[in-house]
Amino acid sequence: QVQLQESGPGLVKPSQTLSLTCTVSGDSITSSYYAWSWIRQPPGKGLEWMGVIAYDGSTYYSPSLKSHTSISRDTSKNQFSLQLSSVTPEDTATYYCALLFVYGSTWGPPVDWGQGTQVTVSS
């Protein structure tokens, strides 16, 4: 069974870059069966899909976040990471990493999630 675990600072100052890492165990992030996603949920709001990194390292981002979002990976550590630059208090949220199954040239909804990590943007 694949397991995901988010890690990173719980507090980030406005205008700084938020950096989170998802450590995957149980299978390789380079497996062609999977894609890997970051999703967040601001307090009192719904889930917001941020982006995906595919098994080959290609990335896809939400259009509304694309300008200040970057997803990368470290295959030697079986990890993928999120960087969100120039954060504001509106980026305060619980951040989740998730596993998606690949279906041909696309992927399905998340089938496995990390436990989530709370990030607060505040001075």
Side-chain angles (χ1 to χ4, degrees):
Q1 182 179 356
V2 178
Q3 294 185 321
L4 303 93
Q5 178 66 59
E6 305 90 348
S7 60
L11 179 65
V12 182
K13 295 184 184 301
S15 80
Q16 292 187 339
T17 296
L18 181 163
S19 296
L20 298 174
T21 295
C22 183
T23 300
V24 178
S25 59
D27 210 330
S28 172
I29 63 171
T30 62
S31 170
S32 60
Y33 293 112
Y34 307 131
W36 308 91
S37 184
W38 285 99
I39 299 163
R40 68 180 182 179
Q41 186 169 29
K45 297 185 179 180
L47 294 169
E48 179 181 25
W49 176 77
M50 301 183 71
V52 167
I53 185 164
Y55 68 93
D56 61 357
S58 55
T59 52
Y60 307 86
Y61 300 107
S62 166
S64 64
L65 297 172
K66 184 176 182 179
S67 63
H68 67 128
T69 303
S70 177
I71 298 175
S72 59
R73 65 181 186 172
D74 185 336
T75 57
S76 67
K77 297 180 179 178
N78 217 39
Q79 296 174 332
F80 64 104
S81 297
L82 171 73
Q83 289 199 318
L84 187 65
S85 62
S86 304
V87 296
T88 71
E90 286 66 41
D91 294 307
T92 294
T94 300
Y95 286 75
Y96 299 92
C97 57
L99 177 158
L100 319 175
F101 282 133
V102 172
Y103 301 101
S105 60
T106 186
W107 51 80
V111 296
D112 206 355
W113 299 72
Q115 65 181 24
T117 186
Q118 172 67 40
V119 178
T120 300
V121 179
S122 175
S123 55

